Amino acid sequence: MILAWLLVLMALSNGFFSNGDGMHNSTIPDFVNIGALFSFNTSVGRSIKIAIKAAIEDINSDPTILGKTKLNLSLQEDSKYRGFLSISEVLQVMARRTVAIIGPHSSVTAHVITHIANELQVPLLSFSALDPTLSSLQFPFFIRTCHSDLYQMTAIADIVNYHDWKDVIAVYLDDDNGRNGIGALGDKLAERRCRISYKAPLSPDASMEEISNVLVQVALAESRVIVVHANTQFGPKLFSVAKNLGMMGTGYVWIATAFLSALLDINSPLSSDSLDDIQGVLTPRMYTPDSQLQRRFASRWKNLTSGNTANAHLGLSFLPIYAYDTVYVLAHALDAFFKQGNQITFSTDSKLSSIHGDNLNLEALKIFNEGNLLRSNIYEVNMTGVSGPFKYTSDRNLVNPAYEIINVIGTGTRRIGYWSNYSGLSVVPPETLYSKPANLSRENQKLFAPIWPGNTGERPRGWVFPNNGRLLKIGVPKGVSYKEFVSQIEGTDTFEGFCIDVFLAAVSLLSYAVPYKFVPYGEGKNNPSMTELVRLITTGEFDGAVGDIAITTERTRMVDFTQPYIESGLVVVAPVRKEESNALAFLAPFTPKMWCVTAIFFILVGAVVWILEHRVNDEFRGPPKKQVVTVLWFSFSTMFFSHRENTVSALGRFVLIIWLFVVLIINSSYTASLTSILTVQQLYSPIKGIESLVIGKEPIGYTQGSFARNYLVHEIGINESRLVPLTTTEEAAKALRKGPENGGVAAYIDERAYTDIFLSSRCDLTVVGQEFTRNGWGFAFPRDSPLAVDLSTAILQMIDNGDLQRIHDKWLLSSACLSQGAKLEVERLQLKSFWGLYVICGLACLLALLVYLIQIWRQYHKHYVSEELDSSDGQSLGSKSSRLKTFLSFADEKEETVKSRSKRRKMERISYRSSEGSSSISSNKGYAPRRSECASEV
């Protein structure tokens, strides 16, 4: 198709091409031809033209760039401003052997002429064709010297998400730039669980009436968040029509893409009428960090625009700034290109040469042989321009995309924050955050509060019910059981019940009217599937669902639920029978293990006390038979605190105090449990809970249409063949009473809210075990529905003010069963409830025995071993067995006897030593004279 366009246009433009032989064969030429393709008859085009000429003048006068080589600029007017007809203009520029073209202005034109640029390998450098689909992969010679619209669409999506809006209406020009830009916006909104709920395309040539017709449809839609993606010529007309339609008032949110900020900057100040049309609008502005270069250029801009009356009121926007930097980027790339030893050459395109025609001068179009080299040098440029750091990333996009978020207020604008690809929304300039770790979390996003349309500071809700006369279709399950929750009044289209009253009360608390109608779901003969009702919301058949709908994992994947208004988990209902007391009822409070351990401790404590008291207490001494009886009597008499034996040792009293405390707790627990057993009616069921059903093989009933079936099969693992669907409460009660032996069921599984009513008049049935799910009931709405959020807030308000409890009492407060005071089986006291007491008592006994053993051992060494050593003059005390018998005999003796004997032996030793001393003195007196006589003889 492109080749066909070329043929037609070559025939139309025969003879207007020029050779442009201005270059010689030296390595570095005296001048280089570059082109610029823009529509210069608009205010935007005039500002771009001024910036490009200023850049060319500065480069040609700077010998540090390109040396003696000058840039020769060919300005080509894109007068048609249309993709197809603009081909003639670009062909004229390329026929002059240009090495690069700055432009085009629009993405529509860029989509067409990039095919020509690819064929002739001439780089196109555009700072205004921002269509995200103009990628370097499909169009390798299209080089974007500004940030893609993909980034400003990301910024707009972040703004929408920051204010918790979910639905957006897109109004855009129906061309390549508009469609692709809105497509990128839709992708970015989807990443944040938002969406474009309505698209309103407009023809680029749309009249005021056509714009009005489209905006009327927008006003009838639900969303009030409107994103406008247009251009500087079309945008003001659209806002003027919206103002006349009353769509710039309170409740609306208008977000315009960067065309509006460019219009505000270039045509500053706008007329008061134009400003009135856009009050409260938000728009991103390409962010250029403050620098000396920028301040110098801004000061120079006033001089550049003051000489011409037509340009006298041109303000400085991002477009002339990036136009100026684009020329510098090309100059730096050419400088590097020449320094690498390259030269500019052109060759004939063999594909064009093969086309013959009498009136076609296709030979004028030449391929730039070194186009790939120049393109590579452009992507390698790393400089600091008026717009800030200018460098390409590996994906051939400019670094650090950032925007200012502008709010139109009064006669001017106010910056409410910034957006950058690095840190998202913030109230500080992006460059201050580049040195910190990137943090795009929702909690880190921040903007100043804007002034919204209607001159209000309160954040708009962002949606209303569509003003098209359509009522919300609210599906209501039409079941056959539990009419207290939901039921249809015979002969009417109205419903009543607990769930209906909760919904009506919650809706009445909303600050806006909700147009709705109840639509029955189900034929009324069987309970409908709640999961299927929820699924129909996703298909659009229903706009919501109200009823006894449990919130389950499967259903939350399809829709959004409100705050639960009643708690209800699955429980097991089973038949029970009375359990009569028997002769051994007194054993029921304790389990067998508890009885055994308690009896062991009675005997153990008695033995410990006997050991501790045996040597010091006459009541614990005597013949062996008597001592055994004493131990047993003492042990079991402590149960009634009627022991007559007194403890005299400190250790015995310590153990006894601990044990009496344990006995007190055991007695109290036993008494309370036995009292309950004998006074409260006891019920018995072979089913203990869901655990009993899992390991059994009996049939199990469930409410037909309930989520219980899938839960039991997929989550619990019960065989599907065991499950029996039951429709009505009478059918469920009959099946339970029959039992599995007579074709009934062993148990019936249903939600707690249902069973409370089911059991209120059926005393022979009861809930066994604990709830094995934790569910609640809620109202279902489509995903991200704002109504679900607002109704959740209303339900919480009803909980706080007591309205929900009053509705509950009205419908669900029924008379209790006469056996309400009955207990299911006996709650037997188990060892695990008292093991701490037994551990404490056991440790006290061990500690007392250890201390007692140390005391005995010390007494044994003091009163026996030392005396025996003295009496045996250090000889052996005998074998180990004899020593053990001696120690046991010592331990069995009464302490007073041991002390008395020890004292007596000590006195005997003292008297014996005294008599020994006297006799030795007498013998020494007779021996001395004889010794003297012997000495004299010697």
Side-chain angles (χ1 to χ4, degrees):
M1 179 177 286
I2 297 301
L3 191 58
W5 290 355
L6 288 174
L7 291 173
V8 173
L9 290 171
M10 290 296 98
L12 294 174
S13 57
N14 181 28
F16 65 68
F17 295 110
S18 61
N19 249 349
D21 296 330
M23 300 185 185
H24 49 74
N25 293 327
S26 62
T27 302
I28 302 178
D30 292 336
F31 63 91
V32 177
N33 289 332
I34 63 172
L37 182 65
F38 285 94
S39 179
F40 298 121
N41 60 354
T42 64
S43 58
V44 174
R46 290 196 301 273
S47 66
I48 291 173
K49 181 178 181 180
I50 294 172
I52 291 177
K53 284 187 173 182
I56 294 292
E57 180 182 346
D58 293 344
I59 292 169
N60 287 339
S61 62
D62 187 355
T64 62
I65 304 177
L66 290 174
K68 296 181 180 180
T69 303
K70 306 298 181 184
L71 295 179
N72 183 24
L73 177 65
S74 297
L75 290 172
Q76 181 63 47
E77 175 74 22
D78 184 11
S79 57
K80 310 301 185 297
Y81 210 63
R82 292 291 184 271
F84 177 75
L85 297 179
S86 296
I87 295 177
S88 60
E89 279 87 2
V90 74
L91 291 178
Q92 294 181 50
V93 177
M94 290 185 174
R96 298 165 189 159
R97 297 193 177 184
T98 56
V99 298
I101 297 176
I102 300 174
H105 180 80
S106 71
S107 298
V108 176
T109 304
H111 272 283
V112 177
I113 67 175
T114 46
H115 294 283
I116 304 174
N118 289 345
E119 183 67 26
L120 300 180
Q121 298 185 15
V122 176
L124 290 178
L125 289 82
S126 180
F127 49 85
S128 55
L130 307 180
D131 182 352
T133 63
L134 289 169
S135 66
S136 58
L137 295 177
Q138 182 183 6
F139 307 110
F141 283 88
F142 177 82
I143 302 174
R144 187 179 286 109
T145 57
C146 192
H147 299 299
S148 164
D149 273 347
L150 179 68
Y151 297 110
Q152 77 160 327
M153 295 306 177
T154 306
I156 292 174
D158 279 343
I159 294 173
V160 171
N161 186 51
Y162 174 79
H163 291 95
D164 294 324
W165 297 315
K166 297 301 180 183
D167 290 347
V168 167
I169 294 177
V171 181
Y172 59 96
L173 291 182
D174 193 17
D175 55 19
D176 290 336
N177 184 61
R179 287 189 299 272
N180 296 332
I182 294 302
L185 175 62
D187 294 339
K188 294 302 177 181
L189 287 171
E191 292 175 5
R192 293 151 179 81
R193 290 192 62 183
C194 306
R195 63 170 185 157
I196 298 177
S197 59
Y198 182 72
K199 292 183 179 180
L202 286 164
S203 169
D205 298 321
S207 64
M208 301 293 277
E209 183 180 357
E210 291 172 334
I211 297 174
S212 178
N213 292 335
V214 170
L215 290 184
V216 167
Q217 296 301 315
V218 170
L220 295 176
E222 178 178 319
S223 177
R224 283 293 180 263
V225 182
I226 305 170
V227 176
V228 180
H229 188 37
N231 54 43
T232 53
Q233 286 76 38
F234 193 89
K237 294 194 299 182
L238 188 147
F239 281 111
S240 176
V241 174
K243 175 73 172 179
N244 293 332
L245 292 176
M247 297 176 65
M248 299 301 297
T250 304
Y252 281 90
V253 176
W254 289 86
I255 304 175
T257 52
F259 78 88
L260 183 59
S261 61
L263 181 67
L264 290 169
D265 291 336
I266 292 176
N267 296 330
S268 179
L270 282 178
S271 64
S272 58
D273 292 340
S274 298
L275 281 173
D276 287 342
D277 293 341
I278 56 175
Q279 288 297 303
V281 178
L282 301 182
T283 178
R285 172 196 285 159
M286 200 79 68
Y287 175 69
T288 54
D290 184 36
S291 65
Q292 187 176 359
L293 279 175
Q294 186 185 100
R295 290 192 294 271
R296 189 186 306 158
F297 186 78
S299 176
R300 184 184 175 193
W301 183 257
K302 296 178 181 179
N303 297 329
L304 292 173
T305 57
S306 60
N308 191 327
T309 305
N311 300 333
H313 299 291
L314 289 180
L316 180 62
S317 71
F318 76 93
L319 289 169
I321 290 176
Y322 277 92
Y324 186 87
D325 282 350
T326 298
V327 179
Y328 262 87
V329 168
L330 180 58
H332 281 290
L334 284 169
D335 187 43
F337 175 84
F338 290 131
K339 288 180 179 177
Q340 293 167 0
N342 300 311
Q343 53 183 324
I344 297 174
T345 61
F346 292 89
S347 61
T348 302
D349 190 346
S350 59
K351 297 178 182 178
L352 294 178
S353 301
S354 63
I355 301 175
H356 300 284
D358 296 336
N359 298 321
L360 300 177
N361 292 327
L362 298 181
E363 66 276 3
L365 297 177
K366 303 295 182 180
I367 295 176
F368 178 25
N369 296 325
E370 292 77 21
N372 274 315
L373 293 174
L374 179 59
R375 183 187 62 167
S376 299
N377 279 285
I378 291 173
Y379 281 125
E380 292 173 2
V381 169
N382 186 1
M383 71 174 199
T384 299
V386 177
S387 61
F390 200 102
K391 180 183 178 181
Y392 285 96
T393 60
S394 58
D395 59 355
R396 297 183 175 180
N397 287 312
L398 290 180
V399 297
N400 302 333
Y403 294 86
E404 296 176 89
I405 310 302
I406 303 301
N407 181 208
V408 180
I409 304 173
T411 58
T413 61
R414 170 177 170 253
R415 181 175 59 226
I416 62 172
Y418 303 87
W419 179 92
S420 72
N421 197 42
Y422 184 79
S423 57
L425 299 173
S426 67
V427 294
V428 297
E431 63 267 18
T432 62
L433 300 174
Y434 291 147
S435 59
K436 301 177 181 179
N439 188 352
L440 292 171
S441 64
R442 183 178 175 84
E443 295 75 16
N444 197 52
Q445 307 299 291
K446 189 175 182 182
L447 287 176
F448 292 120
I451 300 299
W452 303 102
N455 196 29
T456 177
E458 182 179 355
R459 181 184 68 87
R461 190 169 67 244
W463 68 280
V464 294
F465 286 103
N467 190 20
N468 52 14
R470 190 179 76 88
L471 301 177
L472 295 179
K473 293 188 296 182
I474 305 298
V476 181
K478 189 177 180 182
V480 296
S481 57
Y482 302 113
K483 302 292 186 179
E484 295 87 349
F485 294 103
V486 177
S487 64
Q488 185 174 11
I489 301 176
E490 292 294 335
T492 67
D493 294 332
T494 59
F495 289 81
E496 64 178 0
F498 170 73
C499 300
I500 300 299
D501 280 5
V502 172
F503 177 76
L504 296 177
V507 168
S508 67
L509 293 176
L510 300 180
S511 59
Y512 49 88
V514 180
Y516 67 89
K517 65 176 179 178
F518 289 136
V519 179
Y521 173 71
E523 77 283 0
K525 297 180 180 178
N526 294 296
N527 292 321
S529 171
M530 299 299 180
T531 302
E532 181 63 19
L533 171 59
V534 168
R535 191 192 65 80
L536 292 177
I537 297 176
T538 64
T539 64
E541 183 169 342
F542 292 115
D543 299 307
V546 171
D548 44 348
I549 306 172
I551 303 173
T552 65
T553 303
E554 180 185 6
R555 295 169 186 174
T556 54
R557 293 193 181 105
M558 295 186 284
V559 298
D560 281 349
F561 282 92
T562 62
Q563 168 79 17
Y565 56 87
I566 189 173
E567 297 297 328
S568 180
L570 290 179
V571 294
V572 179
V573 177
V576 293
R577 59 182 176 84
K578 295 180 181 180
E579 187 177 57
E580 302 296 339
S581 299
N582 53 44
L584 299 178
F586 66 91
L587 295 176
F590 288 167
T591 60
K593 185 183 294 186
M594 180 66 180
W595 278 117
C596 292
V597 173
T598 303
I600 291 172
F601 262 84
F602 269 106
I603 297 174
L604 177 63
V605 171
V608 171
V609 173
W610 179 84
I611 292 173
L612 298 176
E613 293 289 322
H614 180 66
R615 299 185 72 243
V616 297
N617 194 337
D618 290 335
E619 295 183 354
F620 289 88
R621 299 185 64 81
K625 291 183 179 180
K626 179 184 177 183
Q627 294 306 301
V628 171
V629 173
T630 300
V631 169
L632 295 177
W633 166 256
F634 178 83
S635 299
F636 292 102
S637 63
T638 55
M639 181 185 297
F640 311 103
F641 303 96
S642 61
H643 50 284
R644 65 189 180 191
E645 291 82 7
N646 294 321
T647 53
V648 297
S649 67
L651 293 175
R653 291 174 177 175
F654 168 71
V655 171
L656 186 60
I657 288 174
I658 300 297
W659 173 242
L660 290 177
F661 176 74
V662 174
V663 169
L664 176 64
I665 300 300
I666 293 174
N667 273 343
S668 302
S669 303
Y670 176 85
T671 303
S673 181
L674 184 61
T675 302
S676 175
I677 291 171
L678 297 178
T679 57
V680 179
Q681 179 184 358
Q682 302 298 325
L683 303 178
Y684 170 76
S685 172
I687 306 297
K688 310 301 179 184
I690 189 64
E691 297 82 6
S692 301
L693 297 177
V694 171
I695 62 178
K697 296 183 179 179
E698 299 86 359
I700 304 169
Y702 69 94
T703 302
Q704 183 263 330
S706 169
F707 74 96
R709 177 185 175 278
N710 288 336
Y711 186 86
L712 293 173
V713 173
H714 300 295
E715 301 296 333
I716 303 297
I718 294 177
N719 195 303
E720 187 175 358
S721 61
R722 296 175 56 194
L723 301 180
V724 179
L726 303 172
T727 304
T728 64
T729 57
E730 290 76 15
E731 184 180 349
K734 184 178 180 181
L736 282 170
R737 287 166 180 151
K738 280 185 176 181
E741 300 83 5
N742 301 316
V745 296
Y748 171 61
I749 293 179
D750 207 345
E751 297 181 60
R752 186 80 202 206
Y754 295 140
T755 59
D756 289 343
I757 297 176
F758 178 71
L759 298 176
S760 62
S761 59
R762 296 173 174 88
C763 301
D764 57 333
L765 307 174
T766 190
V767 173
V768 294
Q770 302 294 323
E771 292 185 26
F772 54 94
T773 64
R774 290 291 183 269
N775 300 102
W777 292 355
F779 306 131
F781 293 95
R783 297 298 297 269
D784 300 320
S785 170
L787 191 58
V789 178
D790 291 347
L791 282 177
S792 294
T793 305
I795 291 172
L796 291 175
Q797 185 177 346
M798 292 171 60
I799 295 174
D800 293 338
N801 61 26
D803 287 346
L804 188 60
Q805 185 62 43
R806 282 188 284 273
I807 297 174
H808 178 276
D809 295 343
K810 171 186 174 182
W811 289 98
L812 307 180
L813 191 63
S814 57
S815 58
C817 179
L818 296 177
S819 61
Q820 187 70 27
K823 280 192 175 182
L824 184 62
E825 298 184 356
V826 178
E827 192 67 28
R828 309 187 78 181
L829 300 176
Q830 300 181 4
L831 180 62
K832 63 181 181 181
S833 302
F834 299 93
W835 70 269
L837 288 173
Y838 286 125
V839 168
I840 293 173
C841 184
L843 291 177
C845 291
L846 289 177
L847 179 61
L849 287 175
L850 180 62
V851 174
Y852 177 75
L853 182 60
I854 294 173
Q855 290 178 350
I856 292 296
W857 189 257
R858 291 180 62 189
Q859 290 179 9
Y860 175 69
H861 275 270
K862 178 180 178 182
H863 298 292
Y864 192 88
V865 176
S866 60
E867 294 176 359
E868 291 297 323
L869 287 175
D870 292 342
S871 62
S872 62
D873 296 329
Q875 296 178 1
S876 175
L877 295 176
S879 63
K880 292 183 178 180
S881 60
S882 62
R883 290 201 302 269
L884 179 59
K885 291 179 180 179
T886 303
F887 175 74
L888 293 177
S889 176
F890 174 80
D892 185 57
E893 289 183 306
K894 193 173 182 181
E895 187 173 336
E896 292 181 1
T897 304
V898 173
K899 291 182 178 180
S900 176
R901 185 178 63 248
S902 176
K903 183 177 181 182
R904 185 175 64 253
R905 286 183 178 182
K906 185 176 181 181
M907 296 300 295
E908 289 176 354
R909 285 197 300 271
I910 293 174
S911 61
Y912 175 75
R913 288 175 182 173
S914 298
S915 61
E916 282 282 328
S918 301
S919 51
S920 62
I921 293 173
S922 300
S923 61
N924 286 337
K925 288 181 179 180
Y927 176 71
R930 291 194 297 269
R931 187 176 181 184
S932 300
E933 292 176 358
C934 292
S936 300
E937 292 177 358
V938 175

